[in-house]
Amino acid sequence: MNSYSKSILCAVIVAILAPQAHGLNIEAFFTASNADFTDERTEETRILDPMDFQLGFRAKAALPVSDAFFVEIEAARDSVLRNILFIDFVHRDERITTSVGPYFGVLNVLESPRQYFRPGLSAMVQVRFVHRVSLSFRSLYPFSRRLTSVGDYVQESAEIAAAVYLSNAVLSAEYRDTAYTSLESTGTRISERQEYAFVADLHQKNTPYRIRLTFAYHDRTLTFASSPPDTRAVHSTGSLVLGTRFELDFAHFTYVLDLNNSVYTFGKKDLIGVFNNEAYFFSGSTGLRLRLH
């Protein structure tokens, strides 16, 4: 049995055993966006179409093995990364939180069995200083970056955040870069999203709700590199984004509504001068966090 098969078998075993455990926490979210470039967009397209919707989901189960150790399984359909499955082993104490585990691109390409699962490594570390400041970093690193056959792809991401904890708020600055690179019959296609954000998480003791406010700038880029790479088309947009997330606690679950509004979106690179001021661009999600005791 090769290493990929062993990793997949381990994931299945954990997934079977997790729902039987005491203290399981589950999240399930429906996501939607018309701000990212769709998989069907072609090199010749030169418009920003608000009807190009992308629907997705995110489901996560967190199993506490001990007070400090957790196993987390997450499956998602992301508008950039596409289908992806995470298995993270998390250790958390008063000052440092770390997680590491495999991730898999799942059934994004169906032409060849070896493309059904594209593995990589997910790693995260968060450090708190004097209980008031934290710094965190997370990355997705593929086991192989080689694109040798049509349909091969690479999923990767890097995130960094710094936060300050106040009595009724958490203020943070965040940066996230997400990319999906694939080899197609016409050349290489690269979909990338970069996010720069200032965030305020507001809460009040003994109140059942929390509010998260975000002011951000998003860069979205879709690159078509022909084969041979003598030409390159780059579709790019910039967006100023205002986001609001509302969380409401009930006895055994939390309802979450998250909406990011693009207040101004403009074309860049090959889309420079392209605007659609009458359109409404957004991304958002809604769902539940369940606490099973």
Side-chain angles (χ1 to χ4, degrees):
M1 181 180 292
N2 61 34
S3 59
Y4 295 169
S5 299
K6 290 179 181 178
S7 298
I8 296 170
L9 178 60
C10 178
V12 172
I13 292 173
V14 173
I16 292 173
L17 295 179
Q20 304 176 27
H22 176 76
L24 181 67
N25 292 330
I26 298 175
E27 301 179 7
F29 292 89
F30 168 79
T31 64
S33 173
N34 68 347
D36 292 302
F37 295 118
T38 64
D39 301 341
E40 294 76 24
R41 188 179 180 92
T42 64
E43 184 177 343
E44 293 75 23
T45 307
R46 290 294 188 272
I47 63 172
L48 300 179
D49 188 353
M51 300 308 294
D52 282 344
F53 287 100
Q54 295 199 67
L55 304 180
F57 72 93
R58 184 171 64 84
K60 180 178 179 180
L63 167 65
V65 178
S66 67
D67 290 341
F69 184 69
F70 301 79
V71 177
E72 296 182 346
I73 303 172
E74 180 177 352
R77 170 68 182 184
D78 181 78
S79 54
V80 173
L81 291 176
R82 305 190 188 183
N83 300 331
I84 192 165
L85 172 68
F86 299 92
I87 306 169
D88 288 326
F89 301 91
V90 184
H91 183 269
R92 181 181 301 139
D93 62 26
E94 187 175 345
R95 292 293 180 89
I96 299 177
T97 299
T98 59
S99 75
V100 65
Y103 73 87
F104 304 91
V106 181
L107 303 180
N108 288 301
V109 178
L110 303 178
E111 280 76 5
S112 170
R114 74 178 186 83
Q115 296 170 334
Y116 293 172
F117 297 92
R118 298 282 290 184
L121 181 68
S122 170
M124 184 276 291
V125 60
Q126 181 186 55
V127 181
R128 282 198 178 191
F129 306 92
V130 296
H131 301 285
R132 290 292 183 181
V133 179
S134 72
L135 182 66
S136 64
F137 175 79
R138 184 181 185 186
S139 67
L140 306 183
Y141 188 82
F143 287 157
S144 174
R145 298 178 57 87
R146 296 179 60 191
L147 302 177
T148 58
S149 302
V150 172
D152 286 352
Y153 62 91
V154 171
Q155 297 163 300
E156 51 194 331
S157 178
E159 306 174 21
I160 187 169
V164 177
Y165 297 79
L166 306 178
S167 57
N168 293 318
V170 180
L171 306 180
S172 59
E174 302 175 357
Y175 168 76
R176 183 179 296 106
D177 188 357
T178 305
Y180 182 99
T181 305
S182 60
L183 183 61
E184 302 184 351
S185 58
T186 56
T188 304
R189 179 185 176 114
I190 306 169
S191 179
E192 185 176 15
R193 179 177 61 226
Q194 294 180 315
E195 305 171 51
Y196 308 81
F198 294 99
V199 180
D201 284 292
L202 309 176
H203 56 272
Q204 185 74 37
K205 189 175 181 180
N206 299 323
T207 58
Y209 61 86
R210 291 172 299 281
I211 298 175
R212 176 183 173 100
L213 303 176
T214 302
F215 177 72
Y217 173 75
H218 291 179
D219 251 335
R220 296 176 172 88
T221 303
L222 181 59
T223 301
F224 303 87
S226 65
S227 182
D230 52 356
T231 61
R232 178 181 290 256
V234 182
H235 297 188
S236 182
T237 64
S239 297
L240 298 178
V241 176
L242 293 179
T244 303
R245 185 174 74 192
F246 178 73
E247 300 185 9
L248 182 61
D249 292 330
F250 295 90
H252 298 292
F253 69 92
T254 299
Y255 172 71
V256 181
L257 177 63
D258 191 1
L259 184 62
N260 294 307
N261 304 278
S262 297
V263 296
Y264 180 61
T265 297
F266 54 95
K268 301 168 56 183
K269 303 292 185 178
D270 291 352
L271 300 184
I272 193 167
V274 176
F275 299 89
N276 193 342
N277 294 330
E278 299 180 356
Y280 172 56
F281 294 100
F282 74 95
S283 63
S285 64
T286 185
L288 300 176
R289 296 193 185 106
L290 304 177
R291 300 175 290 275
L292 305 179
H293 300 291

